[in-house]
Amino acid sequence: MKVLVAFALVATRALATTSSSGQECLCTSDQSCWPNASEFSQLQTQVSQPLVYPSPTASACYPASDPSGDCTEVIERWTDGTWRSSMPGSMEALNFETFMFENGTIDACYPNTTITGTCGQGIVPVIGVDARLVADIQAGVSFAVEHNLKLIVKNTGHDYLGRSAARGSFVVWTHHMKNITFNPTFVPQGAPADQTYDAVTLGAGVQWGEADAAVSENIRMIVGGAIASIGAAGGWLAGGGHSALSPTYGLGVDNAIEISVVLSTGEHLTVNNYQNPDLFWALRGGGGSTYGVVTSVTYRIYPSVPAQLYQFQANVTNSSAMLQLVGELLHSQTQFTDDGWGGSGSMDNQTLSLSYMAPDMTSETAKATTQAWTNYALSLEPYGVTSTAALISVPSWYDFFQEEFADVGLTGANEMLTSRLLSRDTVATEYSAVAEVLIACGASFNTVAGGKVNQIDPDSAGLNPAWRNAVVEIICGVRWQDGASSTEIEGMIRRLKGLIKTMHDLTPHDGACFNEASLFEINWQETLFGSHYLTLKDIKNKYDPHKLFVVAEGVGSDDWNKELTCRF
């Protein structure tokens, strides 16, 4: 059991509907309780599309002795997030397609067919509904409740907790719900008629590349994600919805006006601050695949404005100078984000790269607000730091998005992450100690807090309150090669756990971002949801009476076994 839990691929075990201890358990495909062909045929008559039978991403390359022509596409597009997200069985990280048995053997489907010679289903769901309509979701949810199935909700598969897959599960796939509707005088249902917003409503399957392009065509901009293939109305929002625009306009949860959702009862609700406000509160930051299946989100949009881009690169030959450089960068983040700069960066023990953007800022202000940092980096040149900095005016956020993020390939690896939301207090007092950890782990970071994010009431949404005091999100992770043994993988996980403990001990009150969290977060309820956890759990119990929606480290998952198949 230790290996299975440590590998933590959200793997479900084949358990009876009622366990030997009397627990109520969900049904998986290798059990006698699984629906028969006739029952699935009946479901087929209730949905608009043929049922889907998801396969692992590399399945087209098998059998290895006679692979189909599609195997060439698999190899060529393996890291293409948009391509991967278009398939019901493909996940962002290969390890979340993979299942490890208790004896350490691994059921997987690797693109290199010589590793095992076979393509295993792993934890990829085995059958499901290709939802194009709300009625499709309702039919799938009702079927799962009727047959007590292990249900998975999937849009793109971009997820570092493996919530888009489970062994032997039934999936509701929302990827093709692509409606985009603009309304310059949108009034939330139940709101006073004079409460209007310039808004866009995005279907559950819309991705940020699609949303940003459509909004840009209307000479508007939207607080959105950094990668084109990420879903715009799913887990991104449910985890908070951070953006390079957040220091100026707030998080995604601060810009969501209305959400439509299908509950486990089959009811389709439209929720906002006037209708079911408690559920609206929970859906904004309280975790995805937890309260229901979101069918659409309406967001506030803003007039398009020009922006300033600040790009910085440093090469460092002295470890002491590197520590000083990164420490001072952390120390400077409060000023950067309060001035409206958002973006991302990365480092290792020899390089530091930044790409920051500030909307609606003049070139003069851009120079004034970056000069102190630029000068500091230049002052370290005698100590082995060679740096360059550039300020560039860009016509809009969308131009920045296309240049920096639209074609980023970050998928297909075996990868686990952990994140930390560094507070104002931490970057003011612990910046040197934190810098040492970040350099060692080769961290990336997102300047997606501070500024406007800190000005909003921490209790205005179900979001982890730690966001309201954070100025930067830092991320560390581990990776391993395809075909790595269970022993090698456990070694990587021990390293990740060590990083988590070190950062937790350094920043015990800072919390983490749910969307870049680890399956091994210390006291995950507090780390991911803070003081909102018990309220969120009450709301979940109210709106999910069938206990259908359960995911790793999601609200209410502490009532289930580690495999998330049996309730205590």
Side-chain angles (χ1 to χ4, degrees), residues 223 249-258 298-302:
V223 175
Y249 298 97
L251 295 162
V253 297
D254 304 321
N255 288 277
I257 304 167
E258 192 166 88
T298 300
Y299 290 104
R300 181 198 310 253
I301 55 178
Y302 300 89

Side-chain angles (χ1 to χ4, degrees), residues 70 157 281 352:
D70 291 337
W281 183 87
L352 174 66

Side-chain angles (χ1 to χ4, degrees), residues 41 112-113 141 169 190 200 208 218 239 277 301 315 317 352 356 412 416 421 424 469 547:
S41 294
N112 180 354
T113 59
V141 165
S169 63
V200 62
W208 277 119
N218 282 264
I301 55 178
N315 295 299
T317 58
L352 174 66
Y356 288 177
M416 288 185 177
L421 300 172
R424 288 173 175 261
N469 195 38
K547 314 297 186 200

Side-chain angles (χ1 to χ4, degrees), residues 282-296:
L283 289 170
R284 290 178 298 132
S289 297
T290 298
Y291 311 92
V293 184
V294 169
T295 61
S296 69

